[in-house]
Amino acid sequence: MSEAEQNLQSAIPSVDRLLRAAPVLALVEAYGRPAARDAVRAVLAELREELAVGGAAPDEAGIAARVEASLVELMRPTLKSVFNLTGTVLHTNLGRAPMAEVAAEAAAAAALGALNIEFDLARGKRGERDSHLEARICRLTGAEAATVVNNNAAAVLLVLNSLANRKQVPVSRGELIEIGGAFRMPDVMARAGCKLVEIGTTNRTHLKDYAAAIGHKTALVMKVHTSNYKVEGFTAEVPEAELAALAHEHGLPFVVDIGSGMLVDLADFGLPHEATPRETLAAGADLVTFSGDKLLGGPQAGIIAGRKDLVAKLNRNPLKRALRCGKMTIAALGATLALYEDPERLAERLPALRLLSRDAGEIEALAKRLAPKLAAALAGRAEVEVVACMSQIGSGALPVDALPSFAVSLAPTGKKSAGAALNRLAAAFRGLPRPVIGRIQDDRLSFDLRCLEDEAGFLDQLSQLAVK
Ligand SMILES: *Cc1c(COP(=O)(O)O)cnc(C)c1O
């Protein structure tokens, strides 16, 4: 070992000595020995590299400060609350529907202790997980029976596998949808073990196309809500009631995947109408499937409602066990569904609906209050304007309908590359303690304020904005 290397070694304390030194000992107590030891080792390894190219070793307190910083980083959760100012209310990448407080509280209570999730308190015997939701779903949809699984993709998989394994299912070519995240109807059908029979064309499918496709291997007739796109122009699809009548003539179930199953008429809240499970069941569907965390505004879940004998078949399928919901989901969904019993107060109590039906004038007033404060925080680095914009509902619901809203729109000043400056600006907002997620469009960063309810929380952290 050269003299320089020896000096280096002696300048750096050993791992054991550091772990006994007072400032590091406090970290051992706070974070546990294994994590503290690993952090000490990592910091010492960094120090050796740094000292090899010169400089002086820090003292114990200096080393402890670095160890603490690395422990803080290690323990920081990767999941963070963010401000969703993208303009898409039900943003799948940002967790879809914000849940009602009562739903979050119910989930927390379920998480924290033992509960009668599968225990019949009256009889003192094993109970049914679905019993906590089924009656409520039936009341709200008019169905005879219902069951709940992890998400709507699971609901579709369970229905197809339970009712159409090794059999054929005719589906219109206009409804062979892909939802984000690798949910493609033809692939789900294949995984469910059933044979998709494509009928009609992309833009037009007629009752006679269905009639011609039905044979002795047909298991059911299926309709899929084309939730995230719209075919416009010269189009034709068969109304649900006619498809139901055709299926029933052949003794087959009629199944509808309605996607975003809003339980009340959105038109009552000044929003575009979206088919409800009740309407679809009344039109003759034997089963409907829909998501819990889209327009319904609850936790991630897939709800299947309809005929009792068919739901019983789903419940007998071993896949049901693999796809079942956890107790927190059941608690949160139950509390969310209970809010629907009082439609008059729904828009006030259910955050998703409250945000979707928020008055544009109120959003504009908020934008006008925030703009000067944002401008001050940006200190000349960007120009701030209040602009009218359109919010999207998101999650594939009502893809062509947009809601009038207002945004604060930021344009970086300075002559440097606008694109790079814009990216730095967006990164600075994402770097805040509660990251702010906007949308970059037309050389501007805009924050649609429809989903901003915590105005004080948003303003409080602006002083920490660090634009590079
Ligand atoms: C969203 C959607 C799905 C998938 O639902 P998840 O709850 O996201 O699994 C399936 N079908 C349709 C028509 C949808 O809109």
Side-chain angles (χ1 to χ4, degrees):
M1 203 182 277
S2 73
E3 195 179 329
E5 278 167 335
Q6 270 172 11
N7 286 344
L8 188 60
Q9 291 295 345
S10 56
I12 296 177
S14 73
V15 173
D16 285 338
R17 207 186 94 202
L18 268 175
L19 284 172
R20 286 192 304 270
V24 180
L25 209 51
L27 298 177
V28 171
E29 302 227 319
Y31 294 93
R33 182 167 296 275
R37 192 187 48 223
D38 290 351
V40 166
R41 284 203 180 117
V43 167
L44 292 185
E46 280 168 24
L47 273 179
R48 266 183 222 108
E49 283 186 16
E50 288 168 22
L51 292 183
V53 293
D59 60 7
E60 270 171 9
I63 296 177
R66 284 177 65 162
V67 170
E68 179 164 26
S70 106
L71 285 167
V72 167
E73 191 54 40
L74 174 75
M75 299 312 289
R76 200 192 302 281
T78 58
L79 269 178
K80 287 185 186 180
S81 289
V82 303
F83 285 103
N84 170 15
L85 307 188
T86 59
T88 300
V89 179
L90 304 171
H91 198 302
T92 297
N93 304 142
L94 300 179
R96 288 197 185 159
M99 278 199 285
E101 221 152 287
V102 286
E105 282 162 10
L112 288 170
L115 74 172
N116 61 332
I117 184 84
E118 283 184 10
F119 186 71
D120 183 332
L121 288 171
R123 294 188 305 140
K125 289 194 179 138
R126 187 179 183 285
E128 280 299 324
R129 195 167 277 252
D130 282 337
S131 69
H132 306 285
L133 298 169
E134 186 172 15
R136 179 91 64 198
I137 297 170
C138 291
R139 265 178 65 75
L140 294 169
T141 62
E144 270 175 14
T147 184
V148 180
V149 288
N150 238 312
N151 51 33
N152 190 29
V156 172
L157 179 71
L158 181 63
V159 168
L160 290 172
N161 181 261
S162 306
L163 308 182
N165 192 17
R166 295 162 191 271
K167 292 193 157 175
Q168 297 181 349
V169 177
V171 181
S172 162
R173 288 195 170 90
E175 299 173 2
L176 292 174
I177 56 165
E178 171 178 315
I179 312 277
F183 179 92
R184 285 179 152 190
M185 199 41 92
D187 300 341
V188 174
M189 293 226 159
R191 286 292 163 147
C194 57
K195 170 112 181 57
L196 165 68
V197 179
E198 293 182 25
I199 61 166
T201 61
T202 309
N203 56 329
R204 289 172 73 82
T205 302
H206 308 281
L207 191 64
K208 61 179 193 286
D209 296 321
Y210 285 93
I214 294 177
H216 67 282
K217 286 193 174 155
T218 308
L220 53 88
V221 174
M222 180 158 192
K223 188 165 174 63
V224 184
H225 184 53
T226 56
S227 39
N228 51 5
Y229 67 97
K230 212 169 189 100
V231 183
E232 288 193 13
F234 185 56
T235 63
E237 60 175 331
V238 185
E240 284 164 354
E242 288 178 33
L243 271 184
L246 176 72
H248 296 158
E249 245 171 64
H250 290 85
L252 300 173
F254 174 47
V255 174
V256 184
D257 172 13
I258 51 179
S260 194
M262 191 44 169
L263 294 168
V264 291
D265 186 351
L266 283 178
D268 293 347
F269 301 89
L271 294 162
H273 177 78
E274 173 85 357
T276 64
R278 186 185 286 283
E279 286 165 357
T280 306
L281 289 168
D286 298 286
L287 285 181
V288 293
T289 71
F290 52 98
S291 296
D293 58 350
K294 292 186 180 171
L295 285 171
L296 199 144
Q300 180 187 304
I303 299 168
I304 308 165
R307 242 166 67 191
K308 198 170 189 148
D309 60 322
L310 298 178
V311 170
K313 262 193 185 169
L314 308 187
N315 283 326
R316 286 197 299 271
N317 186 338
L319 258 188
K320 169 69 198 297
R321 171 64 181 77
L323 302 173
R324 78 178 184 196
C325 296
K327 57 186 178 179
M328 286 188 281
T329 301
I330 289 177
L333 187 56
T336 305
L337 291 173
L339 296 177
Y340 281 86
E341 300 284 1
D342 183 1
E344 309 248 294
R345 292 207 289 161
L346 193 60
E348 172 197 326
R349 295 158 91 192
L350 193 71
L353 189 58
R354 183 171 70 229
L355 296 174
L356 288 169
S357 58
R358 197 170 179 188
D359 175 57
E362 187 196 315
I363 306 172
E364 182 181 19
L366 172 60
K368 287 187 169 155
R369 284 198 301 278
L370 290 188
K373 293 175 179 162
L374 266 170
L378 286 162
R381 287 193 205 81
E383 271 170 38
V384 181
E385 249 187 307
V386 173
V387 297
C389 66
M390 291 301 238
S391 314
Q392 302 286 319
I393 293 174
S395 275
L398 308 161
V400 291
D401 293 300
L403 311 170
S405 184
F406 281 87
V408 279
S409 170
L410 279 50
T413 44
K415 298 194 179 55
K416 281 182 279 173
S417 145
L422 209 50
N423 286 335
R424 279 196 298 274
L425 195 59
F429 279 95
R430 289 199 309 274
L432 286 168
R434 182 167 173 194
V436 177
I437 319 291
R439 186 169 53 191
I440 290 184
Q441 207 176 23
D442 303 331
D443 291 332
R444 306 184 74 96
L445 172 62
S446 34
F447 297 134
D448 179 339
L449 299 179
R450 173 173 296 277
C451 295
L452 180 63
E453 295 197 298
D454 179 11
E455 182 177 352
F458 178 84
L459 288 173
D460 274 353
Q461 58 169 10
L462 282 185
S463 60
Q464 298 177 56
L465 196 65
V467 186
K468 296 229 172 59

